[in-house]
Amino acid sequence: MQRRPGLRREGDIVVELAGLKLKNPVLVASGTFGYGKEFADYLDLNKLGGLITKSVSLKAKEGNPPPRIVETPSGMINSIGLQNEGLEAFIKNAIPFLAKLEIPVIVNIAGDTIEEYAELAKQLGKEKTVKGLEVNISCPNVKKGGMAFGIDPTATKEVISAVRKATTLPIIAKLSPNVTDITLTAKAAENAGANAISLINTVVGMAIDIETRRSRIGRPTGGLSGPAIRPIAVRMVYEASKAVKIPVIGIGGIMTGSDAIEFFIAGASAVEVGTANFVDTAAPLRILKEINDYLAKHEIGDHHELIGTFKE
Ligand SMILES: Cc1cc2nc3c(=O)[nH]c(=O)nc-3n(C[C@H](O)[C@H](O)[C@H](O)COP(=O)(O)O)c2cc1C
C-alpha cells in the first residue's frame, strides 16, 4: 500500500506521555518483564517504548508460598506477592544494567504504608537512570498496602499526594480494576498530581482443585491476567479516559496489535504488554509491528489519530 505523505515509518511513532518522550506507545508491564536484563537475549530492549520494572519495595519481600502461577481459561492467576530484593539491592544490582538502556526506565514502586511510598519516590528521584515512577496501588496479592490504597479514592489521593511531594519525577498511578467505579480512583489520582494513570492491574480471582478442594495457588485468591480480562480493561480505559484529562495507559490481555488498537480507540495513549511476555518473549515488538501494519493498511499517520475515537 502507498504511504500518504507524512505517514510515519515503522517504529517512528513519538509519544509524549506524562513528561516522558517515548519512541512508540508499547511498554512492558510490571512484574512480567523482570528488570529488563532477563529479556535482553530475546529482543532489542532499545526498541521498546519504555520499560517498567517489577515492583520495588523499600525492604525485601519474600513473596507468597508456591504455587504462584496457575493457568486458567484464556488467562492465568498469579500470587507472586511482590517478591523482590528491596530498594537498596535494586539500586545496586538492577540500575547498572538499566542505566545502559536508551529508552525511558520507569520504576514501579509498592509500599506497605504511605510513608514507604514517599521514601521510595524520594530515593529513586536521586537516580538519574529513573525517568518516571509507576505507583502500584493495585496489587491484590499482599496483606498490607497494595490494593487497599487503590480501591479507596481517599487513600489513592493520599498515596499519590505523598509521592508527588517527594519527587519531581513523572508519576503514573496504576489503578485497580477491583472497584465498582474506576472514574473515582482515576480522578483522585489526577487531583493528587499524577501525570498519567495506567490500568488495569489484575482482577481478583480463584481457581480450586476439586480433588483437594484447595486453591490451585498458594493463597485462596490471586490476580487474574491475560485475554480473559481484556474486555474489562478496555471498558475501564474507556470510562477512565472520559473522566480525566491526563493520559491513560491501557493494560490487560494485550496479545496482538489489534488488541492494542482496541485500547487506543477506547482512549489509551499507550499500552503495556504483560502476560503475553510469558507466551512470546518478543511479544512487545511483534505487537508494535502489528500496530504499524494496521496504521499503514488504514493510511493512518500515527496512533494519536485513533485515541478515544470510539463511536457511541
Ligand atoms: C506474574 C505477574 C506478576 C505481576 N507483578 C506485578 C508487579 O510486581 N507490579 C505491578 O504493578 N503489576 C504486576 N502485575 C500486573 C501486570 O503488570 C498487569 O497489570 C496485569 O497482568 C494485566 O495485564 P496482562 O493481562 O497483559 O498481564 C503482574 C502480573 C503477572 C501476571
Side-chain angles (χ1 to χ4, degrees):
M1 172 154 312
Q2 277 265 297
R3 281 177 183 273
R4 230 181 32 200
L7 192 67
R8 291 177 190 274
R9 285 187 313 274
E10 192 172 307
D12 267 2
I13 306 165
V14 175
V15 189
E16 299 269 357
L17 188 85
L20 298 163
K21 206 166 194 169
L22 315 181
K23 262 189 275 194
N24 66 66
V26 182
L27 300 100
V28 285
S30 179
T32 67
F33 207 76
Y35 299 115
K37 201 174 183 175
E38 297 83 342
F39 279 76
D41 287 344
Y42 305 109
L43 74 173
D44 183 353
L45 300 178
N46 287 323
K47 292 207 167 123
L48 295 170
L51 189 148
I52 303 185
T53 69
K54 170 153 189 59
S55 282
V56 177
S57 53
L58 205 51
K59 290 176 219 110
K61 274 190 195 290
E62 265 186 29
N64 291 326
R68 291 174 169 182
I69 288 184
V70 63
E71 261 188 67
T72 56
S74 299
M76 62 192 237
I77 294 184
N78 89 81
S79 76
I80 307 289
L82 301 180
Q83 181 196 0
N84 77 102
E85 292 182 332
L87 181 66
E88 213 181 299
F90 169 77
I91 292 175
K92 191 163 149 252
N93 303 331
I95 290 265
F97 175 82
L98 294 169
K100 288 187 236 146
L101 298 180
E102 292 153 17
I103 54 168
V105 171
I106 297 163
V107 177
N108 180 300
I109 58 170
D112 291 346
T113 62
I114 292 177
E115 292 72 27
E116 280 190 17
Y117 279 102
E119 187 58 25
L120 282 158
K122 194 172 139 204
Q123 297 293 336
L124 287 164
K126 295 180 196 156
E127 299 295 325
K128 64 177 191 321
T129 301
V130 181
K131 297 295 186 294
L133 298 177
E134 182 175 61
V135 185
N136 179 4
I137 47 171
S138 42
C139 181
N141 296 323
V142 285
K143 286 200 191 97
K144 271 197 279 176
M147 198 175 83
F149 292 115
I151 54 175
D152 171 15
T154 308
T156 297
K157 194 167 175 207
E158 280 170 14
V159 175
I160 302 299
S161 298
V163 172
R164 179 72 295 157
K165 281 199 199 93
T167 184
T168 54
L169 284 173
I171 297 172
I172 302 165
K174 184 163 179 181
L175 303 184
S176 172
N178 302 299
V179 294
T180 330
D181 184 353
I182 192 75
T183 67
L184 301 179
T185 42
K187 280 194 261 190
E190 179 178 48
N191 291 338
N195 303 87
I197 51 176
S198 57
L199 61 144
I200 57 177
N201 207 318
T202 52
V203 176
V204 178
M206 277 178 97
I208 300 172
D209 178 329
I210 58 166
E211 299 306 325
T212 62
R213 302 188 193 181
R214 292 181 185 280
S215 174
R216 290 173 64 205
I217 47 167
R219 296 178 89 211
T221 63
L224 179 64
S225 65
I229 67 168
R230 191 169 58 238
I232 301 172
V234 172
R235 185 261 297 177
M236 288 193 154
V237 163
Y238 170 65
E239 291 171 346
S241 64
K242 285 202 298 182
V244 297
K245 293 192 185 68
I246 52 177
V248 174
I249 306 171
I251 326 167
I254 297 173
M255 311 302 276
T256 66
S258 309
D259 301 339
I261 301 285
E262 214 184 315
F263 276 89
F264 298 144
I265 293 171
S269 298
V271 292
E272 293 179 22
V273 175
T275 297
N277 294 309
F278 292 91
V279 186
D280 169 9
T281 48
L285 297 185
R286 173 183 49 78
I287 289 168
L288 176 61
K289 184 187 173 300
E290 289 165 359
I291 293 171
N292 281 311
D293 289 347
Y294 173 93
L295 296 179
K297 186 173 161 209
H298 293 80
E299 302 203 340
I300 296 170
D302 76 35
H303 86 294
H304 290 97
E305 291 175 36
L306 293 171
I307 300 172
T309 54
F310 174 69
K311 297 174 188 166
E312 300 258 347

PDB file of all heavy atoms in Angstrom, residues 50-72:
ATOM      1  N   GLY A  50       9.117   1.924  26.310  1.00  0.00           N
ATOM      2  CA  GLY A  50       9.624   2.174  27.661  1.00  0.00           C
ATOM      3  C   GLY A  50       9.598   0.884  28.446  1.00  0.00           C
ATOM      4  O   GLY A  50       8.895  -0.059  28.082  1.00  0.00           O
ATOM      5  N   LEU A  51      10.406   0.868  29.508  1.00  0.00           N
ATOM      6  CA  LEU A  51      10.477  -0.352  30.326  1.00  0.00           C
ATOM      7  C   LEU A  51       9.975  -0.040  31.730  1.00  0.00           C
ATOM      8  O   LEU A  51      10.435   0.917  32.365  1.00  0.00           O
ATOM      9  CB  LEU A  51      11.928  -0.843  30.365  1.00  0.00           C
ATOM     10  CG  LEU A  51      12.165  -2.214  30.985  1.00  0.00           C
ATOM     11  CD1 LEU A  51      13.341  -2.896  30.299  1.00  0.00           C
ATOM     12  CD2 LEU A  51      12.416  -2.139  32.481  1.00  0.00           C
ATOM     13  N   ILE A  52       9.013  -0.820  32.182  1.00  0.00           N
ATOM     14  CA  ILE A  52       8.518  -0.656  33.550  1.00  0.00           C
ATOM     15  C   ILE A  52       9.010  -1.854  34.354  1.00  0.00           C
ATOM     16  O   ILE A  52       8.791  -3.002  33.959  1.00  0.00           O
ATOM     17  CB  ILE A  52       6.981  -0.545  33.580  1.00  0.00           C
ATOM     18  CG1 ILE A  52       6.565   0.630  32.676  1.00  0.00           C
ATOM     19  CG2 ILE A  52       6.484  -0.353  35.014  1.00  0.00           C
ATOM     20  CD1 ILE A  52       5.108   0.970  32.678  1.00  0.00           C
ATOM     21  N   THR A  53       9.691  -1.584  35.441  1.00  0.00           N
ATOM     22  CA  THR A  53      10.301  -2.672  36.215  1.00  0.00           C
ATOM     23  C   THR A  53       9.258  -3.405  37.042  1.00  0.00           C
ATOM     24  O   THR A  53       8.163  -2.892  37.294  1.00  0.00           O
ATOM     25  CB  THR A  53      11.339  -2.134  37.214  1.00  0.00           C
ATOM     26  OG1 THR A  53      10.653  -1.401  38.240  1.00  0.00           O
ATOM     27  CG2 THR A  53      12.377  -1.270  36.546  1.00  0.00           C
ATOM     28  N   LYS A  54       9.656  -4.556  37.521  1.00  0.00           N
ATOM     29  CA  LYS A  54       8.863  -5.251  38.531  1.00  0.00           C
ATOM     30  C   LYS A  54       8.770  -4.336  39.744  1.00  0.00           C
ATOM     31  O   LYS A  54       9.645  -3.513  39.979  1.00  0.00           O
ATOM     32  CB  LYS A  54       9.591  -6.559  38.882  1.00  0.00           C
ATOM     33  CG  LYS A  54       8.992  -7.234  40.067  1.00  0.00           C
ATOM     34  CD  LYS A  54       9.167  -8.712  40.119  1.00  0.00           C
ATOM     35  CE  LYS A  54       8.318  -9.271  41.251  1.00  0.00           C
ATOM     36  NZ  LYS A  54       6.881  -8.971  41.109  1.00  0.00           N
ATOM     37  N   SER A  55       7.706  -4.458  40.539  1.00  0.00           N
ATOM     38  CA  SER A  55       7.547  -3.608  41.720  1.00  0.00           C
ATOM     39  C   SER A  55       8.761  -3.704  42.642  1.00  0.00           C
ATOM     40  O   SER A  55       9.255  -4.795  42.923  1.00  0.00           O
ATOM     41  CB  SER A  55       6.319  -4.022  42.528  1.00  0.00           C
ATOM     42  OG  SER A  55       5.144  -3.555  41.927  1.00  0.00           O
ATOM     43  N   VAL A  56       9.186  -2.526  43.111  1.00  0.00           N
ATOM     44  CA  VAL A  56      10.277  -2.442  44.082  1.00  0.00           C
ATOM     45  C   VAL A  56       9.669  -1.937  45.386  1.00  0.00           C
ATOM     46  O   VAL A  56       8.914  -0.955  45.389  1.00  0.00           O
ATOM     47  CB  VAL A  56      11.367  -1.456  43.590  1.00  0.00           C
ATOM     48  CG1 VAL A  56      12.472  -1.307  44.638  1.00  0.00           C
ATOM     49  CG2 VAL A  56      11.954  -1.899  42.259  1.00  0.00           C
ATOM     50  N   SER A  57       9.989  -2.635  46.490  1.00  0.00           N
ATOM     51  CA  SER A  57       9.518  -2.166  47.800  1.00  0.00           C
ATOM     52  C   SER A  57      10.730  -1.693  48.604  1.00  0.00           C
ATOM     53  O   SER A  57      11.872  -1.940  48.222  1.00  0.00           O
ATOM     54  CB  SER A  57       8.765  -3.275  48.523  1.00  0.00           C
ATOM     55  OG  SER A  57       9.543  -4.450  48.580  1.00  0.00           O
ATOM     56  N   LEU A  58      10.450  -1.024  49.706  1.00  0.00           N
ATOM     57  CA  LEU A  58      11.549  -0.442  50.481  1.00  0.00           C
ATOM     58  C   LEU A  58      12.440  -1.554  51.043  1.00  0.00           C
ATOM     59  O   LEU A  58      13.659  -1.515  50.918  1.00  0.00           O
ATOM     60  CB  LEU A  58      10.948   0.404  51.613  1.00  0.00           C
ATOM     61  CG  LEU A  58      11.802   1.533  52.162  1.00  0.00           C
ATOM     62  CD1 LEU A  58      12.333   2.432  51.078  1.00  0.00           C
ATOM     63  CD2 LEU A  58      10.996   2.340  53.186  1.00  0.00           C
ATOM     64  N   LYS A  59      11.779  -2.536  51.658  1.00  0.00           N
ATOM     65  CA  LYS A  59      12.537  -3.681  52.198  1.00  0.00           C
ATOM     66  C   LYS A  59      12.271  -4.906  51.322  1.00  0.00           C
ATOM     67  O   LYS A  59      11.255  -4.955  50.627  1.00  0.00           O
ATOM     68  CB  LYS A  59      12.088  -3.961  53.628  1.00  0.00           C
ATOM     69  CG  LYS A  59      12.543  -2.857  54.578  1.00  0.00           C
ATOM     70  CD  LYS A  59      12.009  -3.078  55.978  1.00  0.00           C
ATOM     71  CE  LYS A  59      11.607  -1.765  56.600  1.00  0.00           C
ATOM     72  NZ  LYS A  59      10.179  -1.580  56.774  1.00  0.00           N
ATOM     73  N   ALA A  60      13.168  -5.874  51.396  1.00  0.00           N
ATOM     74  CA  ALA A  60      12.999  -7.097  50.596  1.00  0.00           C
ATOM     75  C   ALA A  60      11.695  -7.795  50.976  1.00  0.00           C
ATOM     76  O   ALA A  60      11.275  -7.744  52.134  1.00  0.00           O
ATOM     77  CB  ALA A  60      14.177  -8.033  50.834  1.00  0.00           C
ATOM     78  N   LYS A  61      11.051  -8.429  49.988  1.00  0.00           N
ATOM     79  CA  LYS A  61       9.824  -9.196  50.248  1.00  0.00           C
ATOM     80  C   LYS A  61      10.020 -10.610  49.716  1.00  0.00           C
ATOM     81  O   LYS A  61      10.475 -10.785  48.593  1.00  0.00           O
ATOM     82  CB  LYS A  61       8.643  -8.556  49.529  1.00  0.00           C
ATOM     83  CG  LYS A  61       7.971  -7.441  50.311  1.00  0.00           C
ATOM     84  CD  LYS A  61       6.658  -7.066  49.603  1.00  0.00           C
ATOM     85  CE  LYS A  61       6.128  -5.734  50.095  1.00  0.00           C
ATOM     86  NZ  LYS A  61       5.632  -5.775  51.455  1.00  0.00           N
ATOM     87  N   GLU A  62       9.647 -11.580  50.559  1.00  0.00           N
ATOM     88  CA  GLU A  62       9.802 -12.993  50.165  1.00  0.00           C
ATOM     89  C   GLU A  62       8.741 -13.452  49.182  1.00  0.00           C
ATOM     90  O   GLU A  62       8.915 -14.423  48.471  1.00  0.00           O
ATOM     91  CB  GLU A  62       9.667 -13.868  51.408  1.00  0.00           C
ATOM     92  CG  GLU A  62      10.981 -14.222  52.036  1.00  0.00           C
ATOM     93  CD  GLU A  62      10.787 -15.205  53.174  1.00  0.00           C
ATOM     94  OE1 GLU A  62       9.831 -15.997  53.146  1.00  0.00           O
ATOM     95  OE2 GLU A  62      11.608 -15.131  54.097  1.00  0.00           O
ATOM     96  N   GLY A  63       7.613 -12.770  49.168  1.00  0.00           N
ATOM     97  CA  GLY A  63       6.511 -13.196  48.309  1.00  0.00           C
ATOM     98  C   GLY A  63       5.674 -14.271  48.964  1.00  0.00           C
ATOM     99  O   GLY A  63       5.874 -14.599  50.143  1.00  0.00           O
ATOM    100  N   ASN A  64       4.745 -14.816  48.203  1.00  0.00           N
ATOM    101  CA  ASN A  64       3.781 -15.788  48.735  1.00  0.00           C
ATOM    102  C   ASN A  64       4.248 -17.222  48.540  1.00  0.00           C
ATOM    103  O   ASN A  64       5.114 -17.495  47.716  1.00  0.00           O
ATOM    104  CB  ASN A  64       2.426 -15.574  48.046  1.00  0.00           C
ATOM    105  CG  ASN A  64       1.786 -14.270  48.476  1.00  0.00           C
ATOM    106  OD1 ASN A  64       1.940 -13.838  49.618  1.00  0.00           O
ATOM    107  ND2 ASN A  64       1.090 -13.622  47.563  1.00  0.00           N
ATOM    108  N   PRO A  65       3.629 -18.155  49.302  1.00  0.00           N
ATOM    109  CA  PRO A  65       4.009 -19.566  49.128  1.00  0.00           C
ATOM    110  C   PRO A  65       3.654 -20.076  47.732  1.00  0.00           C
ATOM    111  O   PRO A  65       2.696 -19.603  47.131  1.00  0.00           O
ATOM    112  CB  PRO A  65       3.178 -20.290  50.194  1.00  0.00           C
ATOM    113  CG  PRO A  65       2.132 -19.333  50.633  1.00  0.00           C
ATOM    114  CD  PRO A  65       2.598 -17.952  50.329  1.00  0.00           C
ATOM    115  N   PRO A  66       4.422 -21.072  47.224  1.00  0.00           N
ATOM    116  CA  PRO A  66       4.092 -21.660  45.916  1.00  0.00           C
ATOM    117  C   PRO A  66       2.879 -22.594  46.023  1.00  0.00           C
ATOM    118  O   PRO A  66       2.551 -23.000  47.150  1.00  0.00           O
ATOM    119  CB  PRO A  66       5.364 -22.444  45.563  1.00  0.00           C
ATOM    120  CG  PRO A  66       6.015 -22.766  46.882  1.00  0.00           C
ATOM    121  CD  PRO A  66       5.616 -21.666  47.826  1.00  0.00           C
ATOM    122  N   PRO A  67       2.252 -22.975  44.931  1.00  0.00           N
ATOM    123  CA  PRO A  67       2.494 -22.465  43.579  1.00  0.00           C
ATOM    124  C   PRO A  67       1.979 -21.028  43.430  1.00  0.00           C
ATOM    125  O   PRO A  67       0.992 -20.657  44.061  1.00  0.00           O
ATOM    126  CB  PRO A  67       1.701 -23.426  42.690  1.00  0.00           C
ATOM    127  CG  PRO A  67       0.728 -24.125  43.578  1.00  0.00           C
ATOM    128  CD  PRO A  67       1.231 -24.033  44.974  1.00  0.00           C
ATOM    129  N   ARG A  68       2.681 -20.297  42.593  1.00  0.00           N
ATOM    130  CA  ARG A  68       2.361 -18.870  42.457  1.00  0.00           C
ATOM    131  C   ARG A  68       1.661 -18.530  41.153  1.00  0.00           C
ATOM    132  O   ARG A  68       1.198 -17.403  40.984  1.00  0.00           O
ATOM    133  CB  ARG A  68       3.649 -18.056  42.547  1.00  0.00           C
ATOM    134  CG  ARG A  68       4.248 -18.075  43.933  1.00  0.00           C
ATOM    135  CD  ARG A  68       5.557 -17.380  43.903  1.00  0.00           C
ATOM    136  NE  ARG A  68       6.061 -17.140  45.232  1.00  0.00           N
ATOM    137  CZ  ARG A  68       7.189 -16.504  45.475  1.00  0.00           C
ATOM    138  NH1 ARG A  68       7.905 -16.048  44.463  1.00  0.00           N
ATOM    139  NH2 ARG A  68       7.597 -16.305  46.698  1.00  0.00           N
ATOM    140  N   ILE A  69       1.662 -19.478  40.229  1.00  0.00           N
ATOM    141  CA  ILE A  69       1.012 -19.202  38.943  1.00  0.00           C
ATOM    142  C   ILE A  69       0.224 -20.426  38.514  1.00  0.00           C
ATOM    143  O   ILE A  69       0.710 -21.559  38.643  1.00  0.00           O
ATOM    144  CB  ILE A  69       2.062 -18.849  37.851  1.00  0.00           C
ATOM    145  CG1 ILE A  69       2.648 -17.452  38.105  1.00  0.00           C
ATOM    146  CG2 ILE A  69       1.457 -18.912  36.462  1.00  0.00           C
ATOM    147  CD1 ILE A  69       3.619 -16.966  37.048  1.00  0.00           C
ATOM    148  N   VAL A  70      -0.992 -20.223  38.054  1.00  0.00           N
ATOM    149  CA  VAL A  70      -1.774 -21.330  37.507  1.00  0.00           C
ATOM    150  C   VAL A  70      -2.495 -20.836  36.247  1.00  0.00           C
ATOM    151  O   VAL A  70      -2.924 -19.694  36.188  1.00  0.00           O
ATOM    152  CB  VAL A  70      -2.775 -21.879  38.558  1.00  0.00           C
ATOM    153  CG1 VAL A  70      -3.802 -20.841  38.967  1.00  0.00           C
ATOM    154  CG2 VAL A  70      -3.488 -23.123  38.048  1.00  0.00           C
ATOM    155  N   GLU A  71      -2.541 -21.720  35.245  1.00  0.00           N
ATOM    156  CA  GLU A  71      -3.245 -21.338  34.008  1.00  0.00           C
ATOM    157  C   GLU A  71      -4.740 -21.482  34.183  1.00  0.00           C
ATOM    158  O   GLU A  71      -5.224 -22.429  34.824  1.00  0.00           O
ATOM    159  CB  GLU A  71      -2.787 -22.246  32.869  1.00  0.00           C
ATOM    160  CG  GLU A  71      -1.743 -21.573  32.001  1.00  0.00           C
ATOM    161  CD  GLU A  71      -1.423 -22.374  30.762  1.00  0.00           C
ATOM    162  OE1 GLU A  71      -2.327 -22.502  29.890  1.00  0.00           O
ATOM    163  OE2 GLU A  71      -0.291 -22.850  30.678  1.00  0.00           O
ATOM    164  N   THR A  72      -5.495 -20.567  33.622  1.00  0.00           N
ATOM    165  CA  THR A  72      -6.959 -20.612  33.659  1.00  0.00           C
ATOM    166  C   THR A  72      -7.438 -20.336  32.226  1.00  0.00           C
ATOM    167  O   THR A  72      -6.632 -19.932  31.388  1.00  0.00           O
ATOM    168  CB  THR A  72      -7.509 -19.528  34.617  1.00  0.00           C
ATOM    169  OG1 THR A  72      -7.006 -18.259  34.195  1.00  0.00           O
ATOM    170  CG2 THR A  72      -7.103 -19.786  36.060  1.00  0.00           C
TER     171      THR A  72
END
